Amino acid sequence: MARTFDRRTLLRAGAMSLAAVAGVPVLASCSNDDAAPTSSDAGTPTPRSGGTLRAAFVGGGAAETLNFLLGPTGLDYVRARCMHGALGVLDPAAEHGVRYGVLERIDVSDDLRTYTVKVRPGVTFTDGSTLTARDVLYSLNAPVTLGSLPFLKPPSQNFDLAAATVTDDTTLVLPTLRPIADGRLVLCQSTLVFKDSTTAFTADMPTCGPFKLVEFEPGQGAVFARHDDYYGLALGAGPYLDGLELRTIPDATARVNALTGGQVDFVSDIGPVAARTVERDERFAVAVSDLPYATSLSFGLNLSFAPFVDVRVRQAVKYAIDREAIVRNVFFGRAFVGNDLPALGFGDYADEIEQRPYDPDRARALLAEAGVGAITVAVTTAPEVAGMAETATVVVENLNAVGIDATLDQRPTGQLFSDFAAYVQLPFAASYSPPVPPLSSYAATRTAGSPSTFGFNRPDIDELVAQARGAVDADQRREAAVQAQRLIWEEGNQVIPVLAPSINGHATTVYGVRDEPFSSFEHAYLA
C-alpha cells in the first residue's frame, strides 16, 4: 500500500535532522510494517515490498533544483534518477558494458556509423501515456536545447541528432558524427528521459522513473511514493519501497548522527573517518564501492594564469603532491592513488603508464628551470564529496613546501559549481568526476578546448581519442588510447591525486541500494 506524505512530514524530518546535529537522540525506526522476510541461501533476505526508506545526502541548499540538467550537486541527479527513467546504466559486467533501462536494446551497424535504439514496450509515464522513441529523441536533444552541465551532453557530441529518425513508436535511428565503437556507453552513461516538448521541470510533471515525486523543498528534502506502473514491476523487479525520503544534511557529522540516532536509514558520502565509527556498531554497516566506481578528485590548472602556461610548472605541481599521504591521512587507506588520469579500472584506462612519484626535489628543479619567479595562487575547493576539501588542504601544504605561495579558498557546500562561468575562471580549481569510461569522457568534456579544460586545447590529443574510439581493430584502438593518455599525463593541466570510492553508511535492515555511480534506490528494500 502506498504511503502518502505531506509538508508536515517533510518539515518534521528536517527538525529531526536538526536534532541530530545537536546530538539529541531521537528514537525512530524504518517504517516497514510488513511481514518478516525470508532469507536466501547466501544469507541476504529476499527482496520484498513495503516500507519507507529515509536517506540523507550532502545536498546543495537553496541551489537544489528539479532541473537535473543544471543541478549542481549529486543529490540533484539522485533525485532525478528516482523520478525519470534511464536509458540504461554502465555495467562493466554486462554485455557491451551497459544494462538497459527503458531501452530494450541498441543495435550498431558494422561501420560504426548508425545506432538503432529500441524502446522497451510498455513503459508508461505517471499520467498514463506511453514512452515513445520521440520522447527519447527529445530527451537526448534536451541538454543542448534546454541547456545543461557538460557531463550530460555526450549524446549530442557523438550523434547527429538533427538527422535522427523515428521510424515507429519504439524505434529511433541515430547516425553518428563519426564512427564510434562506444556509442552504447555514451547513450547509457547518464541520459534520463522525459516527455517530448517538456520545457520546465516541476513537481507535477509526468515522469517514468521508479518513484513519483510527492513533495520537494530545496535544501530540505524530497518525498517520493512508488510508481506502481513502473515497467520494472512487470519484470519482477523493483521498486520495492512504498516510499522514499531524500533529505539534505550538509554536515557529514550530522548525517552520521542522523543514522545512528535513527532519523534516517541510509547516509551517503560519510567519509572514511566516520565509516570506522559506524562499522563498529552492529546495528549499521558500511558499503564501499569497488573499481571502476571511484570518483576522481582533481584540480584544474587554468592556462589563463600565466605560470601554468609553462608545462614545466604544471609538471612541478604534479610532482609536488604526496598522493600516498592523501590516501593514508585523508582517506585512511580507503582510496586509490591517482596518476593524473581519470577512470581507473575501466577497460580503456592506460595502466601501462608509470605511476608519477612524489618528488618535491624534482618539482623545485622544474620550477627553477621554468624561471617564472614567485607564484602566488589560491586553491579553490568545497566539501562537495567526502575528502575533497581535505585533499585540497594537503595540496596547499605540498605546494608551499616546494616554494609556491598557495592558499586555501574553501567555498560552502553546493556553491563551487553554481556559477559555472565564474568557476572556469579560477586559477586552481578543485573538481570531482563520477566514474565513466575515459575516452568517451574526454570526448564529452575536454575536446576542442571546451570551458571545463581551463584553456587546454590539444587537437592532436582530440584526434588520437577519436582514432581510439573509431577503430574496429582492438589493437589499433588500444595503441591510440594509450598514446592520447600519455600526452595528457605528460603535458595536461589536470591533476588527479586520488580516486575515492563511495563510502555510505546504512542500517543493517537496508538492502539493494546500488552505486551506479550515484546512489540508486530502484532495487532497495527493507528487511
Side-chain angles (χ1 to χ4, degrees):
M1 179 177 65
R3 182 185 176 189
T4 59
F5 304 88
D6 56 21
R7 180 180 177 80
R8 180 179 298 175
T9 303
L10 191 60
L11 295 180
R12 184 170 65 246
M16 295 171 74
S17 297
L18 290 175
V21 173
V24 178
V26 179
L27 296 177
S29 61
C30 303
S31 55
N32 180 23
D33 53 5
D34 287 348
T38 58
S39 296
S40 69
D41 292 340
T44 301
T46 303
R48 69 172 188 180
S49 298
T52 294
L53 192 153
R54 304 155 301 173
F57 292 81
V58 176
E64 291 178 19
T65 173
L66 294 179
N67 183 355
F68 71 94
L69 299 176
L70 298 173
T73 72
L75 178 55
D76 290 309
Y77 192 82
V78 171
R79 188 188 311 110
R81 182 66 183 81
C82 294
M83 297 175 62
H84 306 288
L87 296 189
V89 296
L90 300 183
D91 184 350
E95 186 180 17
H96 305 305
V98 299
R99 179 159 35 86
Y100 294 117
V102 301
L103 299 184
E104 188 175 57
R105 68 178 191 274
I106 300 174
D107 300 323
V108 186
S109 65
D110 291 341
D111 62 1
L112 306 180
R113 292 182 177 276
T114 304
Y115 282 63
T116 301
V117 175
K118 295 294 291 185
V119 176
R120 187 185 297 278
V123 178
T124 60
F125 288 98
T126 50
D127 65 354
S129 59
T130 301
L131 175 75
T132 70
R134 284 175 288 279
D135 300 314
V136 173
L137 179 56
Y138 183 81
S139 300
L140 290 170
N141 269 307
V144 174
T145 58
L146 302 180
S148 81
L149 296 174
F151 84 97
L152 292 169
K153 294 182 176 177
S156 64
Q157 295 163 337
N158 290 277
F159 292 92
D160 185 357
L161 297 179
T165 56
V166 175
T167 59
D168 57 48
D169 282 349
T170 62
T171 307
L172 172 64
V173 179
L174 296 172
T176 62
L177 293 173
R178 58 189 307 169
I180 53 173
D182 57 1
R184 293 185 179 93
L185 304 180
V186 170
L187 292 170
C188 295
Q189 189 168 298
S190 53
T191 300
L192 304 180
V193 293
F194 37 89
K195 287 181 74 71
D196 185 5
S197 303
T198 295
T199 57
F201 294 83
T202 62
D204 58 354
M205 67 184 294
T207 58
C208 64
F211 296 97
K212 297 186 293 186
L213 182 66
V214 176
E215 187 170 3
F216 168 61
E217 187 168 339
Q220 295 296 317
V223 180
F224 296 88
R226 181 172 55 208
H227 178 193
D228 288 327
D229 293 325
Y230 184 63
Y231 71 88
L233 294 169
L235 299 175
Y240 302 106
L241 299 168
D242 286 342
L244 174 66
E245 298 176 17
L246 304 182
R247 303 178 184 176
T248 298
I249 304 181
D251 182 79
T253 301
R255 284 199 302 281
V256 173
N257 286 344
L259 176 67
T260 58
Q263 289 87 50
V264 298
D265 315 301
F266 175 94
V267 287
S268 170
D269 214 13
I270 61 175
V273 178
R276 297 198 300 178
T277 301
V278 168
E279 65 189 358
R280 283 198 288 265
D281 190 327
E282 62 182 11
R283 299 174 299 165
F284 307 105
V286 172
V288 181
S289 62
D290 294 322
L291 289 175
Y293 298 117
T295 297
S296 301
L297 300 188
S298 65
F299 297 88
L301 310 183
N302 200 322
L303 300 192
S304 66
F305 184 67
F308 294 149
V309 173
D310 194 313
V311 68
R312 293 167 295 188
V313 175
R314 302 197 296 271
Q315 292 173 344
V317 169
K318 297 173 183 175
Y319 283 112
I321 296 174
D322 189 346
R323 302 152 197 265
E324 293 187 358
I326 292 172
V327 171
R328 183 173 59 252
N329 298 329
V330 174
F331 293 94
F332 295 94
R334 279 180 157 151
F336 306 95
V337 172
N339 196 26
D340 303 322
L341 295 169
L344 176 64
F346 280 99
D348 288 331
Y349 180 87
D351 49 13
E352 298 94 330
I353 297 174
E354 61 272 24
Q355 173 65 48
R356 193 185 307 278
Y358 169 52
D359 192 341
D361 290 337
R362 188 169 182 181
R364 295 187 189 95
L366 284 164
L367 289 172
E369 183 181 332
V372 294
I375 299 175
T376 300
V377 65
V379 177
T380 304
T381 188
E384 304 292 348
V385 296
M388 187 169 170
E390 293 85 353
T391 296
T393 300
V394 175
V395 167
V396 167
E397 293 172 353
N398 290 161
L399 295 178
N400 287 330
V402 299
I404 294 175
D405 182 12
T407 56
L408 185 68
D409 172 24
Q410 182 169 324
R411 307 287 174 85
T413 302
Q415 300 302 306
L416 185 60
F417 309 110
S418 59
D419 183 348
F420 193 72
Y423 169 77
V424 297
Q425 299 302 314
L426 295 170
F428 197 127
S431 185
Y432 70 95
S433 301
V436 291
L439 300 180
S440 59
S441 175
Y442 179 93
T445 61
R446 299 190 65 79
T447 54
S450 66
S452 60
T453 65
F454 289 88
F456 189 75
N457 185 3
R458 289 291 296 269
D460 56 333
I461 299 177
D462 296 354
E463 180 56 30
L464 281 170
V465 170
Q467 290 177 20
R469 299 182 65 214
V472 175
D473 180 83
D475 290 339
Q476 292 178 357
R477 177 184 173 86
R478 185 67 186 175
E479 181 180 358
V482 173
Q483 286 182 31
Q485 290 175 82
R486 180 166 287 284
L487 284 173
I488 294 169
W489 184 84
E490 291 175 344
E491 302 177 26
N493 65 335
Q494 189 178 34
V495 184
I496 303 178
V498 63
L499 294 95
S502 298
I503 304 178
N504 304 321
H506 61 86
T508 53
T509 53
V510 173
Y511 292 87
V513 180
R514 294 180 176 177
D515 205 79
E516 295 181 336
F518 295 102
S519 297
S520 169
F521 297 93
E522 178 179 346
H523 303 283
Y525 61 98
L526 298 171

